[in-house]
């Protein structure tokens, strides 16, 4: 029981009388009577509020997406004969937050109501959402009754599966996400797939004029890209990938993009796999094809976290050389800030070509970019930021001169730009 504001205000009455007794001793008995009356009233109110009057049942998805607001639904039932003003809060797991708690609602007598809130997890893994904590006023309003309703809801936090579901829904509706439209059929054509209605951005040479005349609307030919090719993600899980941006580590941004691209690639008939490494190999899932390919990648990276150790690029590329025989698109997600790592990467990239096609994804530090563009920092800090930016530009230039493909991108723009680059590689038959 928690004293309400009404009880605190009532307690001021005997307190005022106690001060007045210093001047007039005849007020002693009224003060004691007021104390006894308020105490008796509060005791009766507490007894009436002793029985819990609310039940709560939680409905939560078994799988939550990291970094996304995931909907949780509460079914609340009143056992009271009076109207209740209720606040409900849940025990969230570590590395989870919600701006919607506590949930507040008015519950009519003996009625049910549904409350909703969103939880945003920031760490993958198996977790549990715990007990409900419900507050409402006692019958006379002197106490705030707090009831703990035991509950345990196990959930698993995965990489961004919501984006994959959204893509799949749009694909079923024959709509391409805007991030993919620009590069969907850029470059050469392979094999005719179907006719469809013209969309903005289609090349004029793809228009089928005979079908257009028959349908009396513009019809385009759509070509399918070559399939059954290998795509292998190399995820750096070293110390530089622990850096946080937009509430997620760079490793999580890379894993989310890998999951989305693996779904796109598997849907197009390609084989996808994943290799995660830090100071050694942490996980390896060889490339597979089919409907379960994205889950294959998800299972390999579901419980991986970046570590505060130096990255061993040599171990990762040696593993690729021994295990991956078929020519593959090697997508390496990493962060480089010194000349030693840059020199090693240049050497390893030269070694992996021309057997494989490497695509290096360098994740930009948006805070450093902001300083270079004119942040509110002192000249020395801005000079250091400009030097780091110049180093990255030089590294990108050297990698391109070696024949490697490079994607230098901010983490928030990674998924869309990576998918577009993959589709561009496919359309230009580079793999």
């Amino acid at each position: 029981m928690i004293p309400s504001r009404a009880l605190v205000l009532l307690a001021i009455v005997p307190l005022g009388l106690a001060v007045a007794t210093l001047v007039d001793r005849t007020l002693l008995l009224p003060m004691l009577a007021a104390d006894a009356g308020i105490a008796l009233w509060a005791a009766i109110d507490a007894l009436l509020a002793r029985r819990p009057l609310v039940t709560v049942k939680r409905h939560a998805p078994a799988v939550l997406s990291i970094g996304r607001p995931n909907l949780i639904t509460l079914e609340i039932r009143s056992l009271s004969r009076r109207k209740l003003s209720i606040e409900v809060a849940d025990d969230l797991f570590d590395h989870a937050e919600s701006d919607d708690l506590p949930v507040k609602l008015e519950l009519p007598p003996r009625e049910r109501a549904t409350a909703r809130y969103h939880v945003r997890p920031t760490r993958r893994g198996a977790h549990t959402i715990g007990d409900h904590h419900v507050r409402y006023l006692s019958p006379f309003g002197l106490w705030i009754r707090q009831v703990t309703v035991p509950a345990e809801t196990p959930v698993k936090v995965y990489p961004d599966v919501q984006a994959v579901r959204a893509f799949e829904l749009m694909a079923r509706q024959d709509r391409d996400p805007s991030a993919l439209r620009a590069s969907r059929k850029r470059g050469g054509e392979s094999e005719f797939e179907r006719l469809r209605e013209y969309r903005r951005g289609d090349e004029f040479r793809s228009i089928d004029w005979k079908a257009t005349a028959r349908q009396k609307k513009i019809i385009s030919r759509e070509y399918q890209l070559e399939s059954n090719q290998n795509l292998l993600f190399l995820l750096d899980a070293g110390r530089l990938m622990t850096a946080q941006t937009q509430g997620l580590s760079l490793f999580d941004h890379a894993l989310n993009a890998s999951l989305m691209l693996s779904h796109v690639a598997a849907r197009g008939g390609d084989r996808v796999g994943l290799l995660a490494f830090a100071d050694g190999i942490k996980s390896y899932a060889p490339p597979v094809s089919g409907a379960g390919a994205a889950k294959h990648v998800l299972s390999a990276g579901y419980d991986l976290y970046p570590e505060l150790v130096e990255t061993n690029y040599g171990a990762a590329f040696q593993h690729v050389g021994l295990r991956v025989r078929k020519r593959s698109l090697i997508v390496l997600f990493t962060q480089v800030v010194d000349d030693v790592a840059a020199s090693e990467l240049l050497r390893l990239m030269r070694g992996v070509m021309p057997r494989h096609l490497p695509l290096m994804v360098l994740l930009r530090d948006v805070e450093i970019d902001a300083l270079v563009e004119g942040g509110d920092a002192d000249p020395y800090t801005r000079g250091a930021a400009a030097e780091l930016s110049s180093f990255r530009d030089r590294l990108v230039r050297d990698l391109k001169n070696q024949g490697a493909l490079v994607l230098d991108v901010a983490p928030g723009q990674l998924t869309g730009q990576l998918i577009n680059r993959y589709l561009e590689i496919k359309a230009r038959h580079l793999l």
Side-chain angles (χ1 to χ4, degrees), residues 280-297:
I281 305 301
K282 299 187 68 174
S283 177
Y284 175 63
V288 298
S289 60
K295 291 183 179 180
H296 178 68
V297 170

mmCIF file with all atom_site columns, all heavy atoms in Angstrom, residues 280-297:
data_model
loop_
_atom_site.group_PDB
_atom_site.id
_atom_site.type_symbol
_atom_site.label_atom_id
_atom_site.label_alt_id
_atom_site.label_comp_id
_atom_site.label_asym_id
_atom_site.label_entity_id
_atom_site.label_seq_id
_atom_site.pdbx_PDB_ins_code
_atom_site.Cartn_x
_atom_site.Cartn_y
_atom_site.Cartn_z
_atom_site.occupancy
_atom_site.B_iso_or_equiv
_atom_site.pdbx_formal_charge
_atom_site.auth_seq_id
_atom_site.auth_comp_id
_atom_site.auth_asym_id
_atom_site.auth_atom_id
_atom_site.pdbx_PDB_model_num
ATOM 1   N N   . GLY A 1 280 ? 39.681 -15.058 -33.957 1.00 0.00 ? 280 GLY A N   1
ATOM 2   C CA  . GLY A 1 280 ? 39.607 -16.376 -34.588 1.00 0.00 ? 280 GLY A CA  1
ATOM 3   C C   . GLY A 1 280 ? 38.225 -16.547 -35.194 1.00 0.00 ? 280 GLY A C   1
ATOM 4   O O   . GLY A 1 280 ? 37.396 -15.635 -35.166 1.00 0.00 ? 280 GLY A O   1
ATOM 5   N N   . ILE A 1 281 ? 37.958 -17.726 -35.714 1.00 0.00 ? 281 ILE A N   1
ATOM 6   C CA  . ILE A 1 281 ? 36.650 -17.995 -36.315 1.00 0.00 ? 281 ILE A CA  1
ATOM 7   C C   . ILE A 1 281 ? 35.626 -18.232 -35.208 1.00 0.00 ? 281 ILE A C   1
ATOM 8   O O   . ILE A 1 281 ? 35.826 -19.065 -34.328 1.00 0.00 ? 281 ILE A O   1
ATOM 9   C CB  . ILE A 1 281 ? 36.715 -19.224 -37.250 1.00 0.00 ? 281 ILE A CB  1
ATOM 10  C CG1 . ILE A 1 281 ? 37.800 -19.028 -38.303 1.00 0.00 ? 281 ILE A CG1 1
ATOM 11  C CG2 . ILE A 1 281 ? 35.363 -19.458 -37.914 1.00 0.00 ? 281 ILE A CG2 1
ATOM 12  C CD1 . ILE A 1 281 ? 37.614 -17.808 -39.171 1.00 0.00 ? 281 ILE A CD1 1
ATOM 13  N N   . LYS A 1 282 ? 34.519 -17.501 -35.249 1.00 0.00 ? 282 LYS A N   1
ATOM 14  C CA  . LYS A 1 282 ? 33.472 -17.637 -34.243 1.00 0.00 ? 282 LYS A CA  1
ATOM 15  C C   . LYS A 1 282 ? 32.309 -18.500 -34.730 1.00 0.00 ? 282 LYS A C   1
ATOM 16  O O   . LYS A 1 282 ? 31.687 -19.213 -33.947 1.00 0.00 ? 282 LYS A O   1
ATOM 17  C CB  . LYS A 1 282 ? 32.938 -16.258 -33.841 1.00 0.00 ? 282 LYS A CB  1
ATOM 18  C CG  . LYS A 1 282 ? 33.985 -15.338 -33.224 1.00 0.00 ? 282 LYS A CG  1
ATOM 19  C CD  . LYS A 1 282 ? 33.363 -14.067 -32.708 1.00 0.00 ? 282 LYS A CD  1
ATOM 20  C CE  . LYS A 1 282 ? 32.464 -14.335 -31.518 1.00 0.00 ? 282 LYS A CE  1
ATOM 21  N NZ  . LYS A 1 282 ? 31.950 -13.092 -30.898 1.00 0.00 ? 282 LYS A NZ  1
ATOM 22  N N   . SER A 1 283 ? 31.991 -18.407 -36.028 1.00 0.00 ? 283 SER A N   1
ATOM 23  C CA  . SER A 1 283 ? 30.868 -19.167 -36.575 1.00 0.00 ? 283 SER A CA  1
ATOM 24  C C   . SER A 1 283 ? 31.030 -19.249 -38.076 1.00 0.00 ? 283 SER A C   1
ATOM 25  O O   . SER A 1 283 ? 31.493 -18.299 -38.714 1.00 0.00 ? 283 SER A O   1
ATOM 26  C CB  . SER A 1 283 ? 29.540 -18.490 -36.215 1.00 0.00 ? 283 SER A CB  1
ATOM 27  O OG  . SER A 1 283 ? 28.440 -19.176 -36.792 1.00 0.00 ? 283 SER A OG  1
ATOM 28  N N   . TYR A 1 284 ? 30.631 -20.420 -38.626 1.00 0.00 ? 284 TYR A N   1
ATOM 29  C CA  . TYR A 1 284 ? 30.671 -20.579 -40.082 1.00 0.00 ? 284 TYR A CA  1
ATOM 30  C C   . TYR A 1 284 ? 29.461 -21.375 -40.525 1.00 0.00 ? 284 TYR A C   1
ATOM 31  O O   . TYR A 1 284 ? 29.183 -22.462 -40.007 1.00 0.00 ? 284 TYR A O   1
ATOM 32  C CB  . TYR A 1 284 ? 31.946 -21.292 -40.523 1.00 0.00 ? 284 TYR A CB  1
ATOM 33  C CG  . TYR A 1 284 ? 31.968 -21.584 -42.010 1.00 0.00 ? 284 TYR A CG  1
ATOM 34  C CD1 . TYR A 1 284 ? 31.962 -20.551 -42.939 1.00 0.00 ? 284 TYR A CD1 1
ATOM 35  C CD2 . TYR A 1 284 ? 31.979 -22.896 -42.484 1.00 0.00 ? 284 TYR A CD2 1
ATOM 36  C CE1 . TYR A 1 284 ? 31.968 -20.816 -44.305 1.00 0.00 ? 284 TYR A CE1 1
ATOM 37  C CE2 . TYR A 1 284 ? 31.994 -23.168 -43.844 1.00 0.00 ? 284 TYR A CE2 1
ATOM 38  C CZ  . TYR A 1 284 ? 31.977 -22.113 -44.744 1.00 0.00 ? 284 TYR A CZ  1
ATOM 39  O OH  . TYR A 1 284 ? 31.976 -22.375 -46.096 1.00 0.00 ? 284 TYR A OH  1
ATOM 40  N N   . ALA A 1 285 ? 28.727 -20.815 -41.466 1.00 0.00 ? 285 ALA A N   1
ATOM 41  C CA  . ALA A 1 285 ? 27.583 -21.491 -42.092 1.00 0.00 ? 285 ALA A CA  1
ATOM 42  C C   . ALA A 1 285 ? 27.836 -21.503 -43.589 1.00 0.00 ? 285 ALA A C   1
ATOM 43  O O   . ALA A 1 285 ? 27.811 -20.442 -44.223 1.00 0.00 ? 285 ALA A O   1
ATOM 44  C CB  . ALA A 1 285 ? 26.280 -20.763 -41.776 1.00 0.00 ? 285 ALA A CB  1
ATOM 45  N N   . PRO A 1 286 ? 28.152 -22.649 -44.181 1.00 0.00 ? 286 PRO A N   1
ATOM 46  C CA  . PRO A 1 286 ? 28.468 -22.700 -45.617 1.00 0.00 ? 286 PRO A CA  1
ATOM 47  C C   . PRO A 1 286 ? 27.279 -22.269 -46.454 1.00 0.00 ? 286 PRO A C   1
ATOM 48  O O   . PRO A 1 286 ? 26.122 -22.393 -46.032 1.00 0.00 ? 286 PRO A O   1
ATOM 49  C CB  . PRO A 1 286 ? 28.820 -24.171 -45.842 1.00 0.00 ? 286 PRO A CB  1
ATOM 50  C CG  . PRO A 1 286 ? 28.178 -24.913 -44.727 1.00 0.00 ? 286 PRO A CG  1
ATOM 51  C CD  . PRO A 1 286 ? 28.179 -23.989 -43.558 1.00 0.00 ? 286 PRO A CD  1
ATOM 52  N N   . PRO A 1 287 ? 27.522 -21.735 -47.645 1.00 0.00 ? 287 PRO A N   1
ATOM 53  C CA  . PRO A 1 287 ? 26.418 -21.256 -48.492 1.00 0.00 ? 287 PRO A CA  1
ATOM 54  C C   . PRO A 1 287 ? 25.419 -22.360 -48.826 1.00 0.00 ? 287 PRO A C   1
ATOM 55  O O   . PRO A 1 287 ? 25.803 -23.467 -49.210 1.00 0.00 ? 287 PRO A O   1
ATOM 56  C CB  . PRO A 1 287 ? 27.139 -20.756 -49.748 1.00 0.00 ? 287 PRO A CB  1
ATOM 57  C CG  . PRO A 1 287 ? 28.522 -20.436 -49.296 1.00 0.00 ? 287 PRO A CG  1
ATOM 58  C CD  . PRO A 1 287 ? 28.840 -21.447 -48.241 1.00 0.00 ? 287 PRO A CD  1
ATOM 59  N N   . VAL A 1 288 ? 24.144 -22.044 -48.670 1.00 0.00 ? 288 VAL A N   1
ATOM 60  C CA  . VAL A 1 288 ? 23.058 -22.954 -49.028 1.00 0.00 ? 288 VAL A CA  1
ATOM 61  C C   . VAL A 1 288 ? 22.009 -22.144 -49.789 1.00 0.00 ? 288 VAL A C   1
ATOM 62  O O   . VAL A 1 288 ? 21.985 -20.911 -49.741 1.00 0.00 ? 288 VAL A O   1
ATOM 63  C CB  . VAL A 1 288 ? 22.418 -23.618 -47.793 1.00 0.00 ? 288 VAL A CB  1
ATOM 64  C CG1 . VAL A 1 288 ? 23.433 -24.463 -47.049 1.00 0.00 ? 288 VAL A CG1 1
ATOM 65  C CG2 . VAL A 1 288 ? 21.799 -22.576 -46.877 1.00 0.00 ? 288 VAL A CG2 1
ATOM 66  N N   . SER A 1 289 ? 21.111 -22.838 -50.462 1.00 0.00 ? 289 SER A N   1
ATOM 67  C CA  . SER A 1 289 ? 20.052 -22.179 -51.217 1.00 0.00 ? 289 SER A CA  1
ATOM 68  C C   . SER A 1 289 ? 18.699 -22.645 -50.698 1.00 0.00 ? 289 SER A C   1
ATOM 69  O O   . SER A 1 289 ? 18.610 -23.510 -49.825 1.00 0.00 ? 289 SER A O   1
ATOM 70  C CB  . SER A 1 289 ? 20.185 -22.511 -52.713 1.00 0.00 ? 289 SER A CB  1
ATOM 71  O OG  . SER A 1 289 ? 20.083 -23.916 -52.916 1.00 0.00 ? 289 SER A OG  1
ATOM 72  N N   . GLY A 1 290 ? 17.647 -22.058 -51.236 1.00 0.00 ? 290 GLY A N   1
ATOM 73  C CA  . GLY A 1 290 ? 16.306 -22.492 -50.877 1.00 0.00 ? 290 GLY A CA  1
ATOM 74  C C   . GLY A 1 290 ? 15.629 -21.562 -49.896 1.00 0.00 ? 290 GLY A C   1
ATOM 75  O O   . GLY A 1 290 ? 16.183 -20.549 -49.455 1.00 0.00 ? 290 GLY A O   1
ATOM 76  N N   . ALA A 1 291 ? 14.416 -21.959 -49.520 1.00 0.00 ? 291 ALA A N   1
ATOM 77  C CA  . ALA A 1 291 ? 13.592 -21.118 -48.659 1.00 0.00 ? 291 ALA A CA  1
ATOM 78  C C   . ALA A 1 291 ? 14.194 -20.946 -47.274 1.00 0.00 ? 291 ALA A C   1
ATOM 79  O O   . ALA A 1 291 ? 13.938 -19.946 -46.601 1.00 0.00 ? 291 ALA A O   1
ATOM 80  C CB  . ALA A 1 291 ? 12.189 -21.716 -48.543 1.00 0.00 ? 291 ALA A CB  1
ATOM 81  N N   . GLY A 1 292 ? 14.999 -21.904 -46.822 1.00 0.00 ? 292 GLY A N   1
ATOM 82  C CA  . GLY A 1 292 ? 15.577 -21.819 -45.484 1.00 0.00 ? 292 GLY A CA  1
ATOM 83  C C   . GLY A 1 292 ? 16.935 -21.163 -45.434 1.00 0.00 ? 292 GLY A C   1
ATOM 84  O O   . GLY A 1 292 ? 17.586 -21.180 -44.381 1.00 0.00 ? 292 GLY A O   1
ATOM 85  N N   . ALA A 1 293 ? 17.381 -20.556 -46.532 1.00 0.00 ? 293 ALA A N   1
ATOM 86  C CA  . ALA A 1 293 ? 18.721 -19.984 -46.563 1.00 0.00 ? 293 ALA A CA  1
ATOM 87  C C   . ALA A 1 293 ? 18.863 -18.815 -45.594 1.00 0.00 ? 293 ALA A C   1
ATOM 88  O O   . ALA A 1 293 ? 19.869 -18.680 -44.890 1.00 0.00 ? 293 ALA A O   1
ATOM 89  C CB  . ALA A 1 293 ? 19.067 -19.549 -47.985 1.00 0.00 ? 293 ALA A CB  1
ATOM 90  N N   . ALA A 1 294 ? 17.848 -17.944 -45.553 1.00 0.00 ? 294 ALA A N   1
ATOM 91  C CA  . ALA A 1 294 ? 17.909 -16.798 -44.642 1.00 0.00 ? 294 ALA A CA  1
ATOM 92  C C   . ALA A 1 294 ? 17.929 -17.261 -43.188 1.00 0.00 ? 294 ALA A C   1
ATOM 93  O O   . ALA A 1 294 ? 18.658 -16.707 -42.355 1.00 0.00 ? 294 ALA A O   1
ATOM 94  C CB  . ALA A 1 294 ? 16.728 -15.863 -44.896 1.00 0.00 ? 294 ALA A CB  1
ATOM 95  N N   . LYS A 1 295 ? 17.128 -18.296 -42.858 1.00 0.00 ? 295 LYS A N   1
ATOM 96  C CA  . LYS A 1 295 ? 17.156 -18.843 -41.497 1.00 0.00 ? 295 LYS A CA  1
ATOM 97  C C   . LYS A 1 295 ? 18.499 -19.472 -41.188 1.00 0.00 ? 295 LYS A C   1
ATOM 98  O O   . LYS A 1 295 ? 18.958 -19.447 -40.042 1.00 0.00 ? 295 LYS A O   1
ATOM 99  C CB  . LYS A 1 295 ? 16.046 -19.880 -41.333 1.00 0.00 ? 295 LYS A CB  1
ATOM 100 C CG  . LYS A 1 295 ? 14.642 -19.291 -41.352 1.00 0.00 ? 295 LYS A CG  1
ATOM 101 C CD  . LYS A 1 295 ? 13.586 -20.372 -41.113 1.00 0.00 ? 295 LYS A CD  1
ATOM 102 C CE  . LYS A 1 295 ? 12.191 -19.775 -41.112 1.00 0.00 ? 295 LYS A CE  1
ATOM 103 N NZ  . LYS A 1 295 ? 11.146 -20.813 -40.888 1.00 0.00 ? 295 LYS A NZ  1
ATOM 104 N N   . HIS A 1 296 ? 19.138 -20.032 -42.195 1.00 0.00 ? 296 HIS A N   1
ATOM 105 C CA  . HIS A 1 296 ? 20.469 -20.610 -42.054 1.00 0.00 ? 296 HIS A CA  1
ATOM 106 C C   . HIS A 1 296 ? 21.461 -19.532 -41.605 1.00 0.00 ? 296 HIS A C   1
ATOM 107 O O   . HIS A 1 296 ? 22.257 -19.743 -40.673 1.00 0.00 ? 296 HIS A O   1
ATOM 108 C CB  . HIS A 1 296 ? 20.873 -21.205 -43.404 1.00 0.00 ? 296 HIS A CB  1
ATOM 109 C CG  . HIS A 1 296 ? 22.240 -21.797 -43.451 1.00 0.00 ? 296 HIS A CG  1
ATOM 110 N ND1 . HIS A 1 296 ? 22.592 -22.934 -42.756 1.00 0.00 ? 296 HIS A ND1 1
ATOM 111 C CD2 . HIS A 1 296 ? 23.351 -21.409 -44.129 1.00 0.00 ? 296 HIS A CD2 1
ATOM 112 C CE1 . HIS A 1 296 ? 23.859 -23.220 -42.998 1.00 0.00 ? 296 HIS A CE1 1
ATOM 113 N NE2 . HIS A 1 296 ? 24.340 -22.309 -43.826 1.00 0.00 ? 296 HIS A NE2 1
ATOM 114 N N   . VAL A 1 297 ? 21.407 -18.369 -42.243 1.00 0.00 ? 297 VAL A N   1
ATOM 115 C CA  . VAL A 1 297 ? 22.270 -17.247 -41.864 1.00 0.00 ? 297 VAL A CA  1
ATOM 116 C C   . VAL A 1 297 ? 21.882 -16.719 -40.486 1.00 0.00 ? 297 VAL A C   1
ATOM 117 O O   . VAL A 1 297 ? 22.739 -16.412 -39.652 1.00 0.00 ? 297 VAL A O   1
ATOM 118 C CB  . VAL A 1 297 ? 22.186 -16.136 -42.926 1.00 0.00 ? 297 VAL A CB  1
ATOM 119 C CG1 . VAL A 1 297 ? 22.880 -14.866 -42.455 1.00 0.00 ? 297 VAL A CG1 1
ATOM 120 C CG2 . VAL A 1 297 ? 22.795 -16.614 -44.242 1.00 0.00 ? 297 VAL A CG2 1
#
